[in-house]
Amino acid sequence: MENFIVSARKYRPQEFDTVVGQSHITDTLEHAIENNQLAQALLFCGPRGVGKTTCARILARKINEKDGSTSEDNFAYNIFELDAASNNSVDDIRNLTDQVRFAPQVGKYKIYIIDEVHMLSSAAFNAFLKTLEEPPEHAIFILATTEKHKIIPTILSRCQIYDFKRIQIEDIESHLKSIADKEGVKYEEDALFLIAQKADGALRDALSIFDRMVTFSQNNITLEKTAEVLNILDYDQYLKIADLAQENNIPEILSAFNDIVKKGFDPHIFIAGLGSHFRDLMMAKNPTTLALIEVGEKSKQKYSEQSKNWSAQDLVDAVEICNHADINYKNSKNPRLTVEIALMQLSSLNQNLDSKKKNS
């Protein structure tokens, strides 16, 4: 039996041009290496799973390759990785600074990658200060952290800071598509979009969910199965609720809500999601705002079709009703009733309009 390698490791980028969604950093680093303008202390900061350690490893390799070393064995000894989460004492840093003084046996530079640098103790930071301010010519430090605010200002001022950003949903989706194609996995585009959305800008999280979905769905990732595994109400559920509201069908809409609660979904998350759905319908009414809806292309068409059945004023009222229920949910003695009242109000929007006309 072959050892399974998770996608995050199997498809870890080996070159700057394969790093997803961080071109503002990878281009800068490539130019710095080409023009010999690389700082001796760099700080990579940003959310988890966006490529900080990956870029640090690529940079370390590129620096040695620029120096003429091509064989892995020649410069493997020049790259040192330290996990500050488990090596955060002042003695660990003193051992590091003692090593730094010695020039590399092969090549021109020794590169020190210190991951989770915010975990260093204050004494360790202070022990590191002088070395970071005046490092030997052969030493380059690459520090990586998810929490820049925990690093003391005297360290920050000695580093060239690179801020990694959350990766865009579209970039994650296209990366998942390329991996699915390589692995021979069938997929629905909306399912991959949902995975990318759930990952919240972290590519590693997206790849972890993708692996889980491949196993669960037996190499056929559908929107329905993805929503089930991630415990998310898929778009079709909200489309159905909105249709029932449009038809003024109060009994059916309450039954549909009851089924959703029985499946274990939180009513508070449901009503907040329904408010977002009506907001998306409002965006779908105008082609210029259609791009503001964060759903797959097939779902966008469904939203566009459904929005034609609603007037702009009804959609504004629907968003207000859902928002009001969302705000009042936690303070209510009977939270479920708050959601049910909101659903009944949504189902009565057209009738209210008719009664207003009669009164006028």
Side-chain angles (χ1 to χ4, degrees):
M1 182 179 169
E2 286 184 39
N3 286 337
F4 173 69
I5 302 171
V6 295
S7 297
R9 282 180 56 206
K10 188 174 181 181
Y11 294 100
R12 183 189 281 271
Q14 299 300 315
E15 298 293 334
F16 279 132
D17 57 6
T18 56
V19 175
V20 179
Q22 306 294 351
S23 57
H24 63 295
I25 286 172
T26 54
D27 291 351
T28 306
L29 292 174
E30 279 190 316
H31 295 155
I33 293 169
E34 284 170 18
N35 302 324
N36 288 322
Q37 293 177 341
L38 197 68
Q40 282 191 272
L42 302 98
L43 176 66
F44 292 174
C45 46
R48 68 181 191 284
V50 295
K52 299 184 296 298
T53 307
T54 296
C55 282
R57 288 174 181 170
I58 295 171
L59 177 62
R61 197 181 78 249
K62 290 277 185 190
I63 291 166
N64 280 285
E65 283 176 353
K66 179 81 162 51
D67 189 38
S69 300
T70 51
S71 164
E72 182 65 35
D73 293 335
N74 276 356
F75 61 79
Y77 303 109
N78 291 359
I79 300 170
F80 302 88
E81 278 200 51
L82 180 76
D83 178 27
S86 51
N87 301 280
N88 56 5
S89 71
V90 68
D91 290 334
D92 294 317
I93 291 299
R94 280 183 182 145
N95 290 338
L96 178 71
T97 53
D98 287 343
Q99 284 181 29
V100 169
R101 288 181 297 179
F102 300 108
Q105 291 178 320
V106 179
K108 190 176 176 183
Y109 292 106
K110 282 169 107 175
I111 295 103
Y112 294 86
I113 300 170
I114 305 178
D115 216 350
E116 304 297 338
V117 73
H118 66 273
M119 299 287 277
L120 290 178
S121 64
S122 57
F125 270 132
N126 289 327
F128 194 34
L129 272 175
K130 197 64 182 170
T131 307
L132 205 59
E133 187 173 29
E134 296 175 2
E137 285 186 7
H138 59 261
I140 292 176
F141 293 99
I142 306 172
L143 316 179
T145 179
T146 51
E147 301 184 49
K148 185 169 77 170
H149 61 277
K150 288 188 178 178
I151 298 174
I152 57 175
T154 44
I155 292 280
L156 290 175
S157 65
R158 287 165 169 79
C159 296
Q160 200 171 73
I161 299 171
Y162 290 84
D163 286 303
F164 284 68
K165 61 185 181 184
R166 290 183 185 280
I167 302 171
Q168 297 291 317
I169 291 173
E170 290 78 10
D171 291 337
I172 295 177
E173 186 193 16
S174 63
H175 189 63
L176 291 178
K177 279 182 190 173
S178 68
I179 291 175
D181 292 337
K182 285 174 189 171
E183 294 289 324
V185 176
K186 294 178 184 175
Y187 60 86
E188 290 180 7
E189 286 195 15
D190 283 352
L192 296 187
F193 196 94
L194 195 62
I195 292 171
Q197 212 169 21
K198 181 73 173 175
D200 193 26
L203 187 60
R204 188 169 59 229
D205 290 4
L207 291 171
S208 177
I209 297 168
F210 175 79
D211 286 344
R212 189 154 44 116
M213 286 309 310
V214 169
T215 308
F216 175 77
S217 64
Q218 296 291 291
N219 287 5
N220 185 13
I221 302 174
T222 62
L223 179 61
E224 187 182 347
K225 287 177 180 174
T226 305
E228 183 186 339
V229 168
L230 298 180
N231 199 31
I232 294 172
L233 280 165
D234 64 18
Y235 314 124
D236 288 337
Q237 296 269 28
Y238 289 123
L239 288 162
K240 179 187 172 186
I241 293 284
D243 280 338
L244 291 171
Q246 174 65 26
E247 293 161 11
N248 311 124
N249 195 336
I250 292 176
E252 279 294 318
I253 203 169
L254 293 178
S255 296
F257 171 60
N258 187 54
D259 292 340
I260 287 166
V261 173
K262 274 185 177 176
K263 286 178 185 173
F265 291 104
D266 183 353
H268 194 185
I269 291 170
F270 163 75
I271 196 66
L274 189 59
S276 298
H277 177 77
F278 282 115
R279 173 261 182 199
D280 289 343
L281 287 182
M282 202 186 302
M283 297 299 133
K285 283 191 80 66
N286 194 316
T288 55
T289 53
L290 190 61
L292 299 177
I293 307 174
E294 290 190 337
V295 293
E297 287 304 316
K298 279 186 183 175
S299 295
K300 270 186 189 175
Q301 290 171 7
K302 290 179 185 176
Y303 276 60
S304 193
E305 284 299 312
Q306 192 177 69
S307 68
K308 292 171 185 173
N309 302 328
W310 290 79
S311 70
Q313 186 56 51
D314 278 354
L315 288 173
V316 171
D317 292 342
V319 171
E320 280 185 4
I321 289 166
C322 293
N323 190 44
H324 190 68
D326 183 17
I327 292 165
N328 290 341
Y329 186 88
K330 283 189 178 177
N331 297 327
S332 174
K333 290 280 195 302
N334 189 344
R336 178 167 176 161
L337 181 62
T338 304
V339 177
E340 287 175 339
I341 290 169
L343 291 173
M344 287 187 269
Q345 287 174 323
L346 290 169
S347 302
S348 307
L349 281 173
N350 289 344
Q351 290 175 340
N352 289 345
L353 189 67
D354 293 338
S355 64
K356 281 176 190 172
K357 283 180 182 175
K358 285 175 187 173
N359 290 337
S360 63

